[in-house]
Amino acid sequence: MPTTTRLRAWLPPSNHILSVYLAGIVTLFYASMYFATGSSPGVRNVYYALAVAPFIFLLAWRPSTWTPLASSPIFLLVCALIAWTALSTLLTLHNGGTEAIWDAIRYSLIILTFFAIVTHASTRLPRFPYWFFSLISISGGIAGLYFSLSHIQSTDGFQLGSRLSLDIAFAGNPNRVATLFAPPSIIAFALALSSSQWKSRVIFFSCFLAALGPVVFSQARTIWIAIFFALAAILFWHQKKKALIALALFIIVALGAIFNIDTGGRDLTESRNIEARADIYKSTWDDITQAPLLGYGMLAPQDIERTLRDRDSSHAHNTYLSFWRQGGAPGLLLLIAILGYASWYAWKRRDLQSENADALSCIFGLLVLYAITSLAYTRWPLASPSAVWLMFWVPLGMAVAHQVVTKKTANPPRGDHNDPHKQL
């Protein structure tokens, strides 16, 4: 076979070049979170220039880009949350000023653009979700192994109180390290169970163990607990009953150890730690009772603390309470509806032999990870792309793409080959 012919067979069709480009940039951006140094805004600006800007100029203005998204109930719920974010911020403008409105618009556009890019790529590249999740798990595994070995070398092993911090853009303190490396460990575990070839299982299971390293060395016990539940959910999704029983027994032992070790003066059983957390919840609840319906505006949690108490206090340590305080009852209900419906969607299709069943397993595990982590941390998603996106907006975006592709496959439109908009 001539070289030119082989090259043409390897390259995607010419009408899919833009899809491949956008999919590649999005994937590389999230994979780069495990290696990029410097400032996170600088890394994000490169992503905006290479992916968001071309999308806006070439695709965003076309109705055919957005019309398929309207067939996804998950996307409609996300739009409702975005609309309420804007309205809530506008109604409580005195709390955040014009900067709050700008943030609401900016974050909304970034989120909607991500959903559109992922859906656009998935409708033209059916295996894009699998390759995206695969590269994230491999990147997390490689980086996790490197940082774990470096930490062991510098501390002579695992030492309580010696928590891992990294000098990379998206993971400075130990809690951010755990938040960054938890998603690839969950993704790799899900892909290992979904793979039919033993070589793929070995690769993904190795990535799972390697990505867990920084999570363990960060000594962020809430993330540990969330990972246990996410692993159990994935095993349940795959109907691995024996493995689920073994994991349940391990969780019982592990939880006993977690709550009975002192990670450098942060013993959860000490009354001072329990009282401090109780005080945070009480002050948050007091805020909620003052404005239970509209909240104080969907600002960043630290901005709310600065507005209400004139201090840069820590967050509410609970995403659900933060949403209720900042977005009122509608904000909380929309968050629960999005998480619940997207998880149910992935769960309902666990027995279907669809092309992207492996991606659905990853989606389910990541959403469980976010739901459990949010019980003890404020993982605020209405922000610029960060590690939190990997456990919230990324699985939601992939779920939306799956809904759109599934409906399009079941009801193929007529005359697509004559539509010039379909050529990009």
Side-chain angles (χ1 to χ4, degrees):
M1 181 183 296
T3 303
T4 304
T5 304
R6 289 199 301 267
L7 182 62
R8 288 176 179 175
W10 181 81
L11 290 172
S14 59
N15 59 337
H16 289 173
I17 293 296
L18 180 58
S19 302
V20 173
Y21 170 78
L22 291 175
I25 295 298
V26 169
T27 305
L28 289 175
F29 167 67
Y30 284 97
S32 72
M33 288 185 176
Y34 298 95
F35 307 98
T37 57
S39 66
S40 56
V43 179
R44 283 193 289 261
N45 288 337
V46 174
Y47 164 68
Y48 297 152
L50 296 181
V52 177
F55 171 81
I56 291 175
F57 284 113
L58 298 175
L59 294 174
W61 53 273
R62 300 187 175 190
S64 59
T65 301
W66 302 100
T67 301
L69 290 166
S71 65
S72 167
I74 298 175
F75 181 74
L76 296 179
L77 285 171
V78 170
C79 288
L81 176 62
I82 288 175
W84 177 251
T85 297
L87 180 59
S88 173
T89 305
L90 185 62
L91 293 175
T92 57
L93 193 60
H94 57 280
N95 287 333
T98 55
E99 184 179 353
I101 290 293
W102 163 242
D103 285 342
I105 295 173
R106 179 163 57 95
Y107 297 146
S108 299
L109 291 177
I110 294 172
I111 293 167
L112 292 176
T113 298
F114 171 76
F115 275 55
I117 290 176
V118 169
T119 302
H120 181 271
S122 298
T123 54
R124 290 154 179 80
L125 307 169
R127 292 298 282 161
F128 166 63
Y130 171 80
W131 290 113
F132 176 90
F133 283 131
S134 296
L135 186 58
I136 295 300
S137 67
I138 293 173
S139 298
I142 294 174
L145 180 62
Y146 171 78
F147 290 126
S148 296
L149 293 177
S150 299
H151 182 72
I152 292 173
Q153 185 177 14
S154 62
T155 60
D156 295 327
F158 182 84
Q159 298 178 7
L160 293 177
S162 178
R163 308 181 70 195
L164 174 61
S165 296
L166 299 178
D167 187 22
I168 58 177
F170 292 90
N173 61 56
N175 286 333
R176 290 185 178 180
V177 170
T179 301
L180 180 63
F181 282 91
S185 67
I186 297 302
I187 292 170
F189 187 76
L191 292 177
L193 293 182
S194 301
S195 300
S196 57
Q197 300 179 354
W198 70 268
K199 291 183 180 179
S200 297
R201 289 183 177 180
V202 170
I203 291 174
F204 288 127
F205 193 73
S206 299
C207 291
F208 160 67
L209 294 176
L212 272 182
V215 180
V216 173
F217 290 121
S218 72
Q219 301 184 34
R221 290 176 288 191
T222 298
I223 303 294
W224 294 356
I225 296 171
I227 287 178
F228 290 152
F229 279 95
L231 296 180
I234 293 172
L235 288 172
F236 200 45
W237 194 92
H238 285 277
Q239 299 179 358
K240 304 289 186 180
K241 295 182 180 179
K242 294 182 179 180
L244 186 60
I245 294 173
L247 180 63
L249 294 175
F250 175 74
I251 289 175
I252 294 174
V253 176
L255 289 180
I258 288 173
F259 283 97
N260 285 280
I261 61 176
D262 181 0
T263 56
R266 301 179 70 253
D267 186 359
L268 295 183
T269 62
E270 288 188 10
S271 60
R272 61 184 178 87
N273 289 314
I274 298 175
E275 291 171 358
R277 186 62 63 92
D279 288 340
I280 292 174
Y281 290 151
K282 183 180 182 302
S283 64
T284 303
W285 178 251
D286 290 340
D287 296 337
I288 291 172
T289 57
Q290 296 297 319
L293 182 58
L294 295 179
Y296 294 89
M298 298 290 261
L299 311 174
Q302 63 270 20
D303 293 333
I304 284 291
E305 293 288 351
R306 191 179 302 116
T307 299
L308 297 179
R309 297 180 180 82
D310 193 25
R311 66 183 186 183
D312 292 327
S313 174
S314 60
H315 52 76
H317 289 276
N318 187 294
T319 304
Y320 308 102
L321 290 179
S322 291
F323 260 81
W324 195 353
R325 177 171 66 174
Q326 294 166 236
L332 174 63
L333 292 176
L334 284 169
L335 173 65
I336 294 174
I338 291 171
L339 285 174
Y341 180 78
S343 300
W344 173 80
Y345 176 82
W347 172 261
K348 188 176 67 171
R349 282 154 181 77
R350 67 190 184 282
D351 296 326
L352 300 180
Q353 298 299 319
S354 63
E355 188 174 24
N356 279 313
D358 40 23
L360 288 174
S361 177
C362 297
I363 291 169
F364 186 68
L366 289 172
L367 291 177
V368 171
L369 177 69
Y370 180 84
I372 300 300
T373 303
S374 294
L375 292 172
Y377 285 139
T378 296
R379 290 296 175 248
W380 192 249
L382 300 173
S384 300
S386 63
V388 176
W389 274 53
L390 287 167
M391 61 174 75
F392 189 77
W393 293 122
V394 165
L396 288 177
M398 293 299 178
V400 168
H402 190 275
Q403 284 189 321
V404 172
V405 171
T406 300
K407 291 184 178 182
K408 185 176 180 180
T409 303
N411 304 294
R414 297 178 180 179
D416 273 4
H417 57 283
N418 294 322
D419 187 350
H421 293 170
K422 305 294 182 180
Q423 300 305 310
L424 286 174

